[in-house]
């Protein structure tokens, strides 16, 4: 292999290592690191959990004294500031690493090429922007969060082939198959927050947790402008209610106190012109709570509201081979009157889960650039 091919090969391996941290490191980035000497890997590591050692530190410990004179590969620029842990640049310099290969520059203003500069000032050769697109795709959640101060939002929909999420009577169990529902639980486990509307809670009384696979339960946020939630709802009584937040614009002190007595929290959020929760204000509040990845499961009104406010980054649709005819549509009126103004779906992926077709895509709103297109 050429030097470039070798660098790309090892950076791609750091990406695979980094994936082990999915669902555990937010709002930190996913990072993997490999140390190579004389053509052999002598150390590996990845960032396993928020607040724990960074990937480079784990890899350096794995390599031990053999790291002296070696090449360190990492998919994201090493940090150079004190946060939950000391700077990785200090450890790399101290270990006597000869060369560092970086997949992408860290967009965090506290790092942003400063880590590379420090390494070079200490005589370490640095190559950067290797397998750049793959590195950026891996850390799309972190990039959105650190660059905009807003969480990355994934909307998940389960619908019939004619675009219905329920019959006209409201019955929806189960439109999607069990394999598709397992996929939905995997997405839940990868996100910090799951959002649903009060209509869904009243109609279905869901738990909104992770059951069909092994994974962490996300924080549940119920959008309930008028505090209509029944106190016996599963999200307030299933033993995990400490992970439930009711977002509201109401100031009903009695109901607020009743909800807090269940162990759930109340967030009072700015109202929009219709006296409903103003979605951009909610997103800022979520980000301030250091939650960087949000999954929206609906219902239709909530999904439509997120799309209207241009607060959706990624769409996952499980399309069941069923026709309902009339029923509740997955997405309501977005006030689009010309085809040229429609939302665009790019970087599509299509797969199967049981009998269902799974469509995934980045969402691009009018007047936005192509998100890597």
């Amino acid at each position: 292999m050429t030097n470039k091919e070798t660098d790309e090969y090892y950076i791609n391996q750091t990406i695979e290592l980094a994936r082990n941290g999915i669902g555990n490191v937010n709002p930190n980035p996913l990072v993997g690191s490999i140390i190579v000497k004389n053509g052999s890997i002598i150390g590996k590591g990845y960032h396993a959990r928020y607040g724990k050692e960074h990937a480079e530190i784990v890899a350096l410990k794995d390599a031990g004294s053999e790291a002296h004179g070696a090449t360190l590969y990492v998919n994201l620029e090493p940090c150079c500031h004190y946060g939950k842990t000391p700077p990785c640049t200090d450890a790399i310099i101290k270990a006597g690493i000869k060369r560092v290969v970086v997949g992408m520059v860290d967009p965090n203003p506290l790092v942003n090429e400063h880590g590379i500069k420090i390494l070079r000032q200490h005589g370490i050769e640095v190559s950067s922007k290797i397998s750049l697109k793959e590195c950026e795709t891996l850390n799309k959640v972190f990039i959105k969060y650190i660059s905009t101060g807003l969480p990355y939002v994934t909307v998940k929909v389960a619908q019939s082939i004619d675009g219905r999420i329920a019959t006209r009577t409201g019955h929806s169990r189960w439109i999607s198959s069990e394999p598709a529902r397992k996929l939905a639980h995997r997405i839940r486990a990868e996100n910090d927050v799951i959002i649903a509307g009060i209509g869904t809670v009243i109609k279905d009384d869901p738990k909104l947790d992770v059951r069909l696979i092994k994974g962490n339960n996300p924080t549940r946020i119920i959008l309930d402008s008028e505090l209509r939630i029944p106190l016996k709802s599963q999200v307030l009584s299933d033993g995990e209610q400490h992970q439930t937040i009711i977002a509201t614009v109401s100031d009903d002190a009695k109901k607020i106190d009743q909800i807090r007595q269940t162990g759930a929290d109340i967030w009072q959020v700015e109202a929009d012109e219709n006296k409903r929760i103003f979605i951009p204000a909610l997103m800022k509040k979520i980000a301030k709570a250091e939650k960087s990845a949000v999954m929206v499961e609906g219902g239709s009104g909530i999904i439509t509201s997120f799309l209207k406010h241009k607060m959706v980054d990624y769409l996952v649709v499980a399309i069941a081979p069923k026709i309902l005819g009339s029923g509740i549509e997955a997405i309501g009126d977005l006030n689009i009157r010309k085809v040229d103004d429609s939302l665009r779906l790019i970087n599509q992926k299509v797969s199967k889960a049981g009998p269902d077709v799974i469509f995934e895509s980045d969402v691009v709103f009018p007047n936005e650039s192509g998100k890597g297109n």
Side-chain angles (χ1 to χ4, degrees):
M1 289 192 294
T2 65
N3 288 339
K4 181 181 179 182
E5 289 172 335
T6 299
D7 287 349
E8 288 178 346
Y9 172 78
Y10 285 121
I11 287 295
N12 289 336
Q13 285 202 36
T14 69
I15 290 172
E16 292 308 308
L17 271 176
R19 293 186 195 280
N20 290 306
I22 290 176
N24 295 310
V25 303
N26 293 340
N28 278 358
L30 295 163
V31 185
S33 182
I34 290 174
I35 299 175
V36 177
K37 191 173 186 178
N38 299 325
S40 298
I41 295 174
I42 59 171
K44 291 182 178 182
Y46 66 92
H47 184 37
R49 189 170 293 277
Y50 178 65
K52 298 297 183 181
E53 290 178 321
H54 289 187
E56 301 95 316
I57 304 303
V58 179
L60 286 169
K61 286 185 175 180
D62 190 34
S65 60
E66 287 296 306
H68 188 86
T71 297
L72 182 145
Y73 292 88
V74 62
N75 60 289
L76 183 73
E77 178 183 7
C79 67
C80 54
H81 66 287
Y82 281 89
K84 295 284 184 182
T85 59
C88 290
T89 50
D90 288 359
I92 292 169
I93 294 164
K94 185 177 180 181
I97 290 291
K98 181 180 180 181
R99 180 173 181 248
V100 174
V101 180
V102 174
M104 64 172 279
V105 170
D106 192 335
N108 186 340
L110 295 174
V111 183
N112 200 245
E113 297 195 11
H114 296 305
I116 291 174
K117 182 179 179 181
I118 288 170
L119 294 175
R120 285 175 173 159
Q121 287 174 342
H122 284 79
I124 298 173
E125 179 188 348
V126 181
S127 299
S128 64
K129 299 182 181 180
I130 308 299
S131 295
L132 179 60
K133 183 177 180 180
E134 292 80 0
C135 291
E136 289 177 338
T137 298
L138 172 73
N139 269 310
K140 59 187 180 180
V141 171
F142 174 71
I143 293 169
K144 168 79 181 291
Y145 177 75
I146 205 70
S147 301
T148 68
L150 294 170
Y152 184 93
V153 178
T154 298
V155 165
K156 176 263 171 183
V157 180
Q159 66 172 56
S160 61
I161 200 168
D162 56 339
R164 309 297 179 180
I165 61 173
T167 67
R168 61 192 179 95
T169 64
H171 187 261
S172 61
R173 292 188 177 179
W174 294 102
I175 284 180
S176 57
S177 63
E178 184 174 351
R181 296 198 297 277
K182 282 186 177 180
L183 170 64
H185 281 238
R186 178 181 65 75
I187 299 171
R188 288 180 182 181
E190 292 176 356
N191 281 270
D192 307 317
V193 170
I194 181 170
I195 291 178
I198 185 59
T200 297
V201 172
I202 290 173
K203 179 171 66 72
D204 296 334
D205 192 22
K207 294 186 73 172
L208 300 175
D209 61 359
V210 176
R211 300 184 306 280
L212 301 183
I213 66 161
K214 185 178 180 181
N216 299 323
N217 287 329
T219 297
R220 304 175 291 203
I221 297 183
I222 310 303
L223 307 193
D224 186 6
S225 298
E226 300 174 354
L227 291 182
R228 295 188 293 135
I229 189 166
L231 296 176
K232 292 185 179 180
S233 299
Q234 289 195 93
V235 293
L236 296 180
S237 61
D238 66 352
E240 297 288 336
Q241 56 267 36
H242 62 284
Q243 285 190 249
T244 299
I245 296 168
I246 309 301
T248 188
V249 300
S250 172
D251 57 2
D252 183 339
K254 181 179 178 181
K255 189 64 178 282
I256 288 172
D257 183 60
Q258 289 174 330
I259 292 170
R260 283 183 171 148
Q261 285 182 24
T262 70
D265 198 4
I266 291 281
W267 279 5
Q268 289 176 299
V269 183
E270 177 186 343
D272 63 15
E273 66 276 7
N274 298 312
K275 296 184 179 180
R276 297 185 181 277
I277 291 160
F278 186 48
I279 297 300
L282 176 66
M283 292 298 100
K284 289 180 181 178
K285 198 171 181 70
I286 290 171
K288 191 174 181 181
E290 296 189 326
K291 308 289 186 182
S292 60
V294 171
M295 177 186 185
V296 177
E297 280 213 34
S300 176
I302 300 299
I303 292 170
T304 303
S305 184
F306 269 81
L307 288 168
K308 278 185 175 179
H309 285 99
K310 300 183 179 182
M311 287 287 162
V312 179
D313 297 286
Y314 200 70
L315 181 67
V316 180
V317 185
I319 305 169
K322 300 172 182 176
I323 296 174
L324 298 183
S326 63
I328 299 172
E329 56 193 6
I331 299 170
D333 184 12
L334 297 177
N335 199 34
I336 295 171
R337 299 298 176 257
K338 296 189 297 182
V339 173
D340 288 348
D341 295 332
S342 60
L343 281 56
R344 291 191 299 123
L345 304 177
I346 65 170
N347 303 325
Q348 305 98 338
K349 292 193 296 183
V350 180
S351 59
K352 290 287 294 291
D356 301 334
V357 175
I358 309 299
F359 177 87
E360 302 179 54
S361 176
D362 293 320
V363 180
V364 178
F365 295 90
N367 303 318
E368 277 192 0
S369 59
K371 290 187 179 180
N373 187 26

